[in-house]
Amino acid sequence: MDIALGLLVIVAVVCAGSLAGRKLNLPVPLLLVLAGVAGSFLPFIPPVELNPELVLVGLLPPLLYAAAFRTSLFDFTSNRRSIGLLSVGYVIFGALGVGAVVWRLFPEIPLAAAIALGAVVAPPDAVAATAIARRVGMPRRIVNILEGESLVNDATALVCLRAAVAAIAGSVSAVDVAAGFVVAAGGGLVVGLAAAYILTEIRKRISNVAINTSTSLMAPFVAFLPAEAIHASGVLAVVVTGLVMGTKAPSMPNGAARQSARSNWDTVQFLLENSVFLLIGLQVRTIIDSVQDDSLGAGRVWLGCAVILLAVLVLRPIWVFPTTYLPRLIPAVRRKDPAPPWQFPAIVSWAGMRGVVTLAAVLTLPDDLEHRNVLVLAAMVVVAGTLVLQGFTLPALVRALGVPGPDRREDALNQASLMQLATTAGMARLEELRRESDPPEVMDMLRRRTQERGLAAWERLGRPAAEAATPSQRYAQLRMAMLEAEREKVLELRRGGDFAHEVLSEVLERLDVEESMLDASLNELDSAADGGGGEGLSQPGGVCDHLTAAMPSPLPGDPACAGCEREGTTPVHLRMCLACGHVGCCDSSAGRHASRHFKETGHPVMRSIEPGEEWRWCYVDDLLG
């Protein structure tokens, strides 16, 4: 009963803290840590002792798998040099550097134990780094590097910790350490690839949604446990499995199973990653009480912990800045990957929050190790200090350095272009498959629905949130109201008992599926006011001669679509031909006068003349510029 009540309280606090953080615009991880710290000192809350096996085996694999599953394998490989230097090079550098500082502060602690603490506090936390990085709107490349680092660095740290613990127990040579790295990395890679292949082949052959989703939830442990059994890196095996399966997931059959797996993993990730931060805070009282009677003295211990925290904060930029710029002294590297502005390594240096893996790893130190509680307290101070100091100040640092994050308007433009290309491919396949016997109304319905989906993406580009909704968004609003009435009618009939439960459930499920498809349009309308500017948009797919030759034209003072005025229709967005200056309405408008102008004249390039937009479109080559 006590365990059930404790789990219920943790979930309730996580949900309440997450809701409060979003309402107050505060980082949810930090809010939950502070809630845990406050809770640890409340007299009616019993002391909480974190079981390292629970974290390293029960929580870490699914958390890393969920993060890896959502990470782009292309982005990971394109940033592999930066990720490798941070996840392997920095962890080893940090372990040795912090170990030297600890040994100098506390000569009573063996050097191997000091290096073990260095290995524990070296890796930034996978959850904290990505949660805060995405929230503050960092450039995507920085987020990709931090994500990649946080996925792999735990494996390096745990191998270093294993070698340091072996040195505490006896003697270990440099050859043994090197061999351990090779076995851990090679074995983890092989097991991860094998697990991904087996699970992918199994899921391809399972059509049942529940079984398919359950197989997905097993994936992190299918990779982790065999790797650990052969003394390879289970963490690396999980990451490799997640990266591969995440890449293959969109091409897997059964869309219902893909949607179910995403929904279930979203819930699992939300509960686990936020519970982790709450557990960090709940450890504080227990850890502080454990060092009160240590022979080193309270004052010396706390001062030493503060110096260790300072060393952790300083060592990261000492590593990051040289490893960012020194490789680019090689001409081949510099040509392929020019040096970033100094603000980029500054942000990466400060985005080094530690988390629950640090606490769990330090608790695996031998119980009979002298001054073990001091090492545990030092790890706790590093975790709390980095979460508070770096977590709270990182958003302000990003703003102060003036580093622009992803441009939501550019994302919308690229999405519209991508949808246009996908729609064109779908229409081409329709023309290949159509038969003379196919009913014309079926063909018209397919064309209309396919085109409307693509047009909805273009409608997001031009209208500020303060104005009326676009046609697609208005459709979603009205259809949602209709669905609500339909659901109420079905529930009313259910109370009458005239229909079988299975029939009612099937109808309600169909209504739910349609409602979930409409939610995206309504969310776009609700969040449109948060979008950024749209100038200087880049071309995602290439350039053509028409876009290159198109010359800028002055914008009309009071633009209007003459065709809409003549026909008595209302335009959604306005476009201008760059060959003759003709103004027409977009394809979401009833008249489609911009496209009609192209068909009549052959003028290839038009541009948007909506406020804040400068993008162009080539009708001939279907390219954005």
Side-chain angles (χ1 to χ4, degrees):
M1 178 65 75
D2 291 340
I3 294 177
L5 180 60
L7 292 175
L8 177 62
V9 171
I10 288 175
V11 173
V13 173
V14 163
C15 294
S18 300
L19 183 62
R22 288 172 171 82
K23 291 286 187 182
L24 300 174
N25 196 29
L26 293 174
V28 173
L30 306 184
L31 194 64
L32 290 172
V33 169
L34 295 179
V37 172
S40 71
F41 288 95
L42 294 177
F44 55 84
I45 295 181
V48 176
E49 294 186 7
L50 191 64
N51 185 336
E53 193 77 7
L54 170 66
V55 175
L56 297 177
V57 179
L59 299 182
L60 185 59
L63 280 174
L64 286 176
Y65 178 84
F69 190 84
R70 289 169 172 79
T71 299
S72 165
L73 184 59
F74 173 79
D75 291 336
F76 186 91
T77 54
S78 63
N79 293 298
R80 59 185 178 275
R81 184 185 68 253
S82 299
I83 292 173
L85 287 171
L86 287 171
S87 61
V88 178
Y90 168 68
V91 170
I92 296 174
F93 173 76
L96 296 176
V98 172
V101 171
V102 173
W103 195 43
R104 182 66 181 270
L105 290 170
F106 305 113
E108 299 88 346
I109 295 178
L111 177 60
I115 294 176
L117 176 63
V120 162
V121 301
D125 181 68
V127 178
T130 55
I132 296 178
R134 291 193 181 279
R135 178 184 174 275
V136 302
M138 294 184 193
R140 283 205 174 93
R141 185 172 188 191
I142 294 181
V143 175
N144 293 335
I145 291 173
L146 292 176
E147 282 183 338
E149 176 198 8
S150 62
L151 289 175
V152 182
N153 59 10
D154 287 333
T156 307
L158 292 177
V159 172
C160 291
L161 176 62
R162 191 179 301 169
V165 171
I168 294 173
S171 60
V172 60
S173 65
V175 175
D176 295 333
V177 175
F181 269 104
V182 172
V183 171
L189 178 63
V190 171
V191 172
L193 290 173
Y197 175 78
I198 293 171
L199 290 169
T200 300
E201 292 301 314
I202 291 175
R203 294 188 65 196
K204 283 181 180 178
R205 292 163 173 77
I206 298 177
S207 58
N208 183 277
V209 174
I211 299 176
N212 199 306
T213 304
S214 300
T215 305
S216 171
L217 295 176
M218 293 166 50
F221 302 102
V222 170
F224 183 85
L225 295 177
E228 289 294 315
I230 64 172
H231 303 291
S233 172
V235 169
L236 186 58
V238 170
V239 170
V240 171
T241 301
L243 285 171
V244 174
M245 294 192 69
T247 302
K248 292 183 174 295
S251 60
M252 295 280 288
N254 198 334
R258 292 196 301 269
Q259 185 177 7
S260 174
R262 282 195 299 269
S263 176
N264 281 278
W265 270 114
D266 285 342
T267 303
V268 169
Q269 185 177 17
F270 168 79
L271 288 176
L272 290 185
E273 70 181 19
N274 288 295
S275 299
V276 157
F277 291 112
L278 184 62
L279 288 173
I280 290 174
L282 290 171
Q283 297 296 296
V284 170
R285 186 180 71 179
T286 302
I287 293 175
I288 291 178
D289 290 344
S290 67
V291 298
Q292 296 302 317
D293 300 326
D294 193 274
S295 61
L296 294 176
R300 185 182 172 196
V301 167
W302 282 104
L303 179 61
C305 289
V307 174
I308 294 170
L309 172 60
L310 180 62
V312 169
L313 296 176
V314 171
L315 286 173
R316 187 166 172 89
I318 289 177
W319 175 266
V320 169
F321 274 90
T323 55
T324 298
Y325 294 107
L326 288 179
R328 290 176 171 88
L329 296 178
I330 303 173
V333 175
R334 186 169 61 250
R335 284 193 301 269
K336 186 177 180 180
D337 185 15
W342 67 269
Q343 291 91 339
F344 277 42
I347 293 173
V348 172
S349 298
W350 197 242
M353 292 73 68
R354 273 63 174 179
V356 72
V357 175
T358 293
L359 280 182
V362 78
L363 292 175
T364 63
L365 292 175
D367 291 333
D368 58 352
L369 179 64
E370 190 176 3
H371 306 295
R372 175 180 183 273
N373 290 335
V374 175
L375 299 178
V376 175
L377 177 64
M380 178 74 244
V381 170
V382 169
V383 171
T386 54
L387 281 174
V388 174
L389 290 176
Q390 295 180 323
F392 274 119
T393 59
L394 187 58
L397 176 66
V398 173
R399 289 192 295 269
L401 294 179
V403 178
D407 190 331
R408 294 186 60 182
R409 293 174 70 90
E410 182 172 356
D411 288 347
L413 180 58
N414 292 342
Q415 182 189 34
S417 176
L418 184 61
M419 287 296 298
Q420 177 80 23
L421 297 173
T423 299
T424 302
M427 297 297 291
R429 178 59 60 86
L430 176 64
E431 294 303 321
E432 293 175 5
L433 298 177
R434 65 172 300 182
R435 302 171 181 171
E436 293 296 332
S437 58
D438 289 331
E441 58 271 18
V442 173
M443 295 295 104
D444 292 340
M445 183 184 301
L446 286 169
R447 292 189 186 97
R448 186 179 67 254
R449 290 187 177 179
T450 303
Q451 290 171 346
E452 287 173 352
R453 185 192 61 189
L455 293 175
W458 288 103
E459 291 170 4
R460 296 174 54 197
L461 298 176
R463 182 151 298 191
E467 298 182 14
T470 63
S472 296
Q473 291 165 341
R474 183 57 179 159
Y475 167 85
Q477 292 173 332
L478 295 174
R479 184 58 187 144
M480 287 288 277
M482 294 171 64
L483 286 172
E484 184 178 355
E486 292 172 16
R487 184 177 291 102
E488 290 175 355
K489 184 63 177 179
V490 174
L491 294 177
E492 178 186 334
L493 294 173
R494 184 179 66 176
R495 289 190 291 270
D498 297 330
F499 296 90
H501 174 73
E502 290 81 2
V503 175
L504 292 164
S505 298
E506 179 69 22
V507 173
L508 289 172
E509 184 177 346
R510 289 176 181 269
L511 296 178
D512 289 341
V513 169
E514 185 176 357
E515 181 178 336
S516 68
M517 295 172 65
L518 293 171
D519 278 339
S521 296
L522 293 178
N523 289 338
E524 288 167 8
L525 180 61
D526 293 337
S527 62
D530 298 329
E535 298 184 4
L537 301 182
S538 64
Q539 161 60 33
V543 293
C544 65
D545 293 338
H546 304 103
L547 288 171
T548 304
M551 299 299 293
S553 299
L555 299 182
D558 187 17
C561 177
C564 288
E565 293 178 347
R566 183 173 57 254
E567 298 171 6
T569 56
T570 301
V572 177
H573 298 149
L574 294 179
R575 315 297 188 216
M576 186 182 76
C577 175
L578 291 183
C580 65
H582 174 83
V583 175
C585 57
C586 66
D587 282 358
S588 290
S589 307
R592 299 187 173 190
H593 292 110
S595 294
R596 286 164 62 178
H597 175 73
F598 160 68
K599 293 176 182 178
E600 293 169 359
T601 65
H603 296 166
V605 180
M606 64 84 174
R607 63 153 292 174
S608 170
I609 54 174
E610 294 296 324
E613 294 186 1
E614 294 182 354
W615 57 268
R616 301 172 298 161
W617 177 260
C618 176
Y619 285 104
V620 177
D621 297 316
D622 283 344
L623 281 177
L624 194 65

